[in-house]
Every structure is written in C-alpha cells, then in structure tokens.
Amino acid sequence: MKRNSICCILIGWLLCMGTPVWAKEYNIDTDSIHKKLYANFLDLYSSHGRDQEFYQATDTLARYYRSHGLTGKYYKMQLNICLYDTEHQHSDRALSRSQRMLKEMEEEGFDAYSQVYTALGTVYESRGNFSVARHYYEKAIENLPPDDPGSKMGLYSRLAYLLMFQQPVEAKRWNERYLKESLTFPPYHQVYLFIDGMISFALGDEHQFRQTYDAYQQYHASHKGLDNYGQETLEMVRLAFDAKYDEALQLLNHSSSNDLSLVACYDARIRIQQMMKRPDLALETAQQRAECIDSLNSDMYFANLNELNAAAGVSQAKAMASRTSDLAVTTGMVLALIIIAMLVALVINFRKGREEQRKKNEQLRSALAMAEEGEKMKTEFVRQVSHEIRTPLNAIRGFNELLNTPGIDVSDEERADMLQRISINIDAITNIVDEMLALADKGSNELYERNSRIYCNKFFSELLYSHRSKVSSAIELQYLPKVINRFQIETNEEGLRKVAEELIKNAIKFTKEGYIRITTRLSDDHSLLLVSVEDSGRGIPKEQQDKIFDGFYKVDTFEQGIGLGLAVSKKIAQKLGGDLTLDTSYIGGARFVLSLPAKSF
C-alpha cells in the first residue's frame, strides 16, 4: 500500500514532503538541548517502524515547550503528531489526539483552533469521508489568524486536492486561489500545476491537461532543486490520454510515488476505465473503493471501541480488587456488558450496511449494463437507419431531378419506369418506418386482437405462392400441409400476415437456388399450430444464432434492411399468444418456426 500523501501538501509541508508543519517556518536559535530534541524528532518523523521511539521523543519535546511557555509551538507539535498518525494509518490515534488538543485549548483559552480543524480534516480525508473533511478544512480557514498566509495557502491546496475527483469544478476554484499565493514559491507552484493537471484529468479535458503537463515539465526543468512530486502521476495521466490504458494502469498500480492517496488511486483507476469505455470495470472498482472506505472507517471505529473496552476492563478490575461493595462489582460488569453490546451492535450494523451496499451495487451494475446496451442500440439504430433511409432517398431524389429537369427528353416508357422505381423506394422507406414503430410499440395486445378466423392451408399457400414472381426459376416454392383443409385458427390476420411475409422475404433474400418451403402441423398435444418456414439458402452461422432476434442485428451487414424484421416478428408472434424461434438443429439452410395457439372450429 502506498503511503498516504494527504499530509504532504498541507500548509508549510510543501517545501519538504513529510516534514513537520513548522520545520522550516521558524529559525530556532536556542540551547543545545532543544537542538538535540528537535533533530531527533525530525529523524523519527520520517522513519518507519519506530512508532514507540517517535512518541517518546515527541512527549519529551512537548514537555520542553510547555516548560518554556512556548504554547504555540506545543500545539503545532501536537498537530504534527496527528499528521504522523494519519500517514502511518493510525487515524484513531489522530482523532483522539485532535479531540484532546481541542479540549486543552478550550481549558486554557488558547485560540489556535485552525490547527485542530486541520488535523480533523486530514483524519477524515484519509478515511475517504470527503464531506466531513471539507467541513473541517473550511472551518480551519475561518479560524486562521490574519498573519498566517502560509497556512491559508496550504489549506487552499488541500481543498483543491480533496475535491479534484469528486467535484473538479469546485476544486479548480480552490486551486486558482492557491495559485495567487504560490507564484513566488517554486515548490508550491509545482504542486499547483500537479493539481491543475489532475483536475483536467477528472474533467476529461485533454487539451487543458496537455497544456498543464507541458507547463509542469518546463517549470520543473527550469527550477533546480525541486523534487519529483506529481511527475509520475502526471505521466500516468498522459499515457491514459494517449489511449495507452494498460501502461497507465500498470504505472498506477506499481508506482513508487506517493502523490495520490489510497482513495484517490481508486478514483484515478475508475477514470481510466471510463476512458476505456469499460463501465463494468469502473463499477467493479467503485465497489472496491466503497469497500475500502468502509474498511478504513470500521478499523477506526473498532479501534476507538477497543479503547473504551480496555478502559472498561480496567474499571472492572479495580472494582473487583477493591471488593468494597457489590455495587462496584455490578457497575464494572454492567459497563463491560454495555461495551460488548456496543461492539455487537456495530458489527451487526456494519454487516447490514455492507449487505445493503452490495445489493445497491448489484442494482447499479444491472442498470449500468442496461444503459450500456441501450447506448449500443441507440448508436446502431442511428447508423442503420441513416444508411438504409439514405439509399432510397437518394434514388427518389435522383429520379425526381431527372423528371423535373428542363430540356431532358424522357420517353413515356422511361418515365413510367422512373415513377415505378420512386414508388418502390417510397415503399422501402415506409417499411422501415413501420418496423421502427412496431418495435417501439409498448401497447397491449389490443393492437393484435385475435378476432379473425383463418383457414391455415389457404392462407399460407396463397401467401407463399404470391411471391412466385419475386424468385428466380432456380428456386422452388413448396407448401406442405399436415393439417386438414378445413382446419382454422383464431388469430389476428394482419399481424400473422406481417410475420409470415417477413419470414418468406427473409428466405428469398438469402436463397439463390433450391427451395423455400412452408409446413403446417400441430404440436404433439394439439395445443399449438407450428408453421415452419425453411429454405436451402446459406443458413445462419452458429455463433450468430443467439443474436438473430436482437434489434438492429444483421447476419449480413451489406444486405438491405435495418435488422428489425425478425425482432418485430417475434414481438408480434408473442402478442398473438405464440412465439417465433430458430430451429438450430436444421442444417440445410435456415428454418424458422412460428407457434400459434391452435383452436379448431
């Protein structure tokens, strides 16, 4: 896990990442004892795995300031300890220390509340609770003394960093305030450029990012002595804008930089996955982010409860040892039970919250998948319709211009041919519009009310043979009835005709020779009439068979049509009380089976 960088760009720490707030603010010219204590403190502040030594050193230095009446430095020391705790994943300690600082200040009437609010803001930001963190940072600004512009500048920067992914427009306003103060301090201005680049990343503003990226590189090159704060992270963003997403994610995952906090790393990963057009991955990362924040906060809550539990255990032990009265024993036991109950309640509530969050994420995932599919369908719809309508429109326009151009001699035969072609293309556009309206229709079955009785053999044979003039002599039309001639069904003739016409036209479109055959028979239990329309054409590849009824899907993208015919036909068949399916076992071409409720009369 990366070190948390939150503390690194607060107030005066920009000059030296990770060093205490007042490390360069004061030129301390005192006795050798202080110099030794202070040097030891600085050394331990930047170390790892030496917490106990650090706290002992800070206690010694804090007592030194108290004994010399240096109250301001004492509280800045407490603030630095809070920052140390936050950086080293001890937010529970930082929170407790902040509360003690506030209590101490109130008791002695020392007005330095901005430091407490800064510490609290840092604690809650490290836990991903941005709204509370923002509240405390703004409170810190309100309580800053007028003669402390450095702290104000640091808090402006902190707010810009805090909001750069969640509210980038607001973050940009805070960063611009920070800009005014940072121009005369190169390390500060470098941070301004870094945050400005990250805000552009969050907003998806590639042009602004590249300008800021170039400005950062030039500024860094022209000011010797600057560290590399922000450089690796900005390089990651550049790779993302170059569409080198894998490289960007790899740099984000394995970066040695601590420019981004743990939560901000999740935000950056989500942004890259959105640029990749992978909302599924972005949603998964968002869920991981939420779980991470839950885990961080629960760790802090449990740590605080453990402190209470330990205190209760001490009270109970004292009460048992003294045995002065049964009341003392009872009080200790009751207190212990209360603490245990609090722990159990927290666990239950935490698990309940996690389960509710999981359900919400599942709902969001489903909604996102539907939205993504809807977006794909919309794009495909626009593409298909614009192409299919443009073709007949161009033909109509061309023939119309010929017919209406003065000076062009057109024979009656040619004029009749052109008018016929115009009519054919108008019919093609009308069919496209009808298909779209049929697919969009969400009405009830009243549109296809089953109010007609038809003789099946007569209806389907006449419909099939009416297409004789539309097929070549190499194709044989066959009607094979397996129901008696007087067999009737109750259905909607108009709807049934649309479905059967679509199936016959589809067979003609994909069959160059052989046969097109309609067979009618009853299901084994005689509850359904099964109408199969089969051909000896090229068939449908297995990998495409499960998509054939999807809206706007075409087996051959070069064939005329917008891919709605089968989707509309299936919908109509279902409104008629039946269904339309593809017989995937048929290998001689394609076979569609229309099932309808069978009721003989």
Side-chain angles (χ1 to χ4, degrees), residues 33-90:
I33 295 177
H34 173 268
K35 290 181 180 179
K36 183 178 179 181
L37 293 174
Y38 179 69
N40 188 38
F41 164 74
L42 285 179
D43 178 58
L44 291 169
Y45 188 95
S46 302
S47 66
H48 293 276
R50 301 173 66 186
D51 288 3
Q52 195 60 38
E53 294 178 67
F54 173 79
Y55 293 127
Q56 290 175 355
T58 54
D59 286 343
T60 303
L61 192 53
R63 287 196 298 271
Y64 176 90
Y65 289 134
R66 275 300 194 192
S67 65
H68 288 73
L70 301 173
T71 307
K73 293 182 181 180
Y74 167 80
Y75 281 115
K76 286 196 175 183
M77 167 63 69
Q78 299 302 315
L79 175 56
N80 279 291
I81 299 173
C82 289
L83 300 176
Y84 175 89
D85 285 335
T86 302
E87 267 196 38
H88 290 75
Q89 312 304 319
H90 300 310

Side-chain angles (χ1 to χ4, degrees), residues 172-183:
K172 195 168 187 65
R173 284 197 284 267
W174 285 109
N175 205 38
E176 290 308 310
R177 294 184 188 181
Y178 173 57
L179 169 63
K180 298 175 183 178
E181 304 288 343
S182 71
L183 292 173

Side-chain angles (χ1 to χ4, degrees), residues 450 454 456 459-460 487 489-492 495-496 499 521-523 526-531 572-580 593-599:
R450 285 173 283 187
I454 67 167
C456 296
F459 177 84
F460 288 109
F487 183 81
I489 61 170
E490 188 175 66
T491 187
N492 182 285
L496 180 58
V499 176
R521 65 181 179 86
L522 292 174
S523 61
H526 286 208
S527 64
L528 296 172
L529 172 69
L530 303 178
V531 183
I572 295 174
Q574 291 171 343
K575 285 190 173 185
L576 294 176
D579 201 1
L580 178 62
V593 180
L594 170 65
S595 60
L596 298 166
K599 182 180 179 182

Side-chain angles (χ1 to χ4, degrees), residues 246-494:
D246 291 340
E247 293 181 39
L249 289 171
Q250 186 176 10
L251 184 59
L252 177 63
N253 294 336
H254 303 290
S255 174
S256 59
S257 162
N258 64 349
D259 304 337
L260 294 179
S261 67
L262 182 60
V263 176
C265 284
Y266 281 112
D267 290 326
R269 188 172 296 110
I270 291 169
R271 183 72 190 89
I272 294 173
Q273 289 163 345
Q274 290 172 335
M275 294 169 70
M276 296 167 62
K277 307 296 185 186
R278 290 296 305 272
D280 54 327
L281 295 179
L283 180 60
E284 183 179 343
T285 303
Q287 184 173 353
Q288 293 171 356
R289 179 185 184 277
E291 291 173 353
C292 172
I293 292 174
D294 285 344
S295 177
L296 290 171
N297 282 302
S298 64
D299 288 347
M300 185 168 65
Y301 295 148
F302 275 110
N304 289 335
L305 282 175
N306 286 337
E307 287 186 15
L308 289 174
N309 196 25
V314 172
S315 298
Q316 182 180 0
K318 289 181 178 179
M320 293 291 288
S322 64
R323 299 184 181 277
T324 56
S325 66
D326 291 339
L327 180 61
V329 176
T330 303
T331 301
M333 293 181 65
V334 169
L335 185 57
L337 289 173
I338 290 173
I339 296 300
I340 292 172
M342 289 172 64
L343 286 168
V344 171
L346 182 63
V347 170
I348 292 173
N349 288 333
F350 179 69
R351 289 180 177 176
K352 182 180 179 181
R354 289 290 294 276
E355 180 61 21
E356 291 176 353
Q357 184 65 42
R358 186 190 65 78
K359 290 179 180 178
K360 288 180 181 178
N361 286 336
E362 286 297 325
Q363 293 172 355
L364 182 59
R365 182 178 285 109
S366 299
L368 189 62
M370 291 175 64
E372 183 183 7
E373 186 61 28
E375 185 66 25
K376 289 179 181 178
M377 289 186 67
K378 182 180 73 174
T379 303
E380 186 62 16
F381 169 80
V382 173
R383 187 183 69 82
Q384 292 278 14
V385 172
S386 62
H387 171 73
E388 295 299 332
I389 289 183
R390 189 184 300 114
T391 301
L393 277 178
N394 287 338
I396 293 171
R397 185 188 303 112
F399 290 128
N400 184 63
E401 288 177 355
L402 283 173
L403 291 171
N404 291 281
T405 300
I408 294 183
D409 187 17
V410 179
S411 67
D412 291 343
E413 184 179 347
E414 290 173 331
R415 182 180 299 275
D417 180 63
M418 290 182 187
L419 290 173
Q420 182 183 12
R421 290 176 181 273
I422 289 175
S423 178
I424 291 172
N425 283 287
I426 290 174
D427 289 341
I429 294 175
T430 302
N431 288 334
I432 290 172
V433 173
D434 287 343
E435 285 184 355
M436 290 189 295
L437 291 175
L439 187 68
D441 168 40
K442 295 183 181 178
S444 66
N445 288 340
E446 291 175 1
L447 289 175
Y448 293 102
E449 183 180 354
R450 285 173 283 187
N451 54 6
S452 307
R453 290 185 183 181
I454 67 167
Y455 288 95
C456 296
N457 290 339
K458 181 176 184 296
F459 177 84
F460 288 109
S461 61
E462 289 181 352
L463 189 61
L464 174 64
Y465 293 125
S466 70
H467 290 81
R468 177 69 269 180
S469 62
K470 300 175 185 177
V471 298
S472 70
S473 58
I475 299 175
E476 181 183 1
L477 300 182
Q478 302 174 358
Y479 179 69
L480 300 179
K482 295 185 181 180
V483 295
I484 59 177
N485 282 338
R486 65 174 182 270
F487 183 81
Q488 293 177 289
I489 61 170
E490 188 175 66
T491 187
N492 182 285
E493 184 174 354
E494 180 186 357

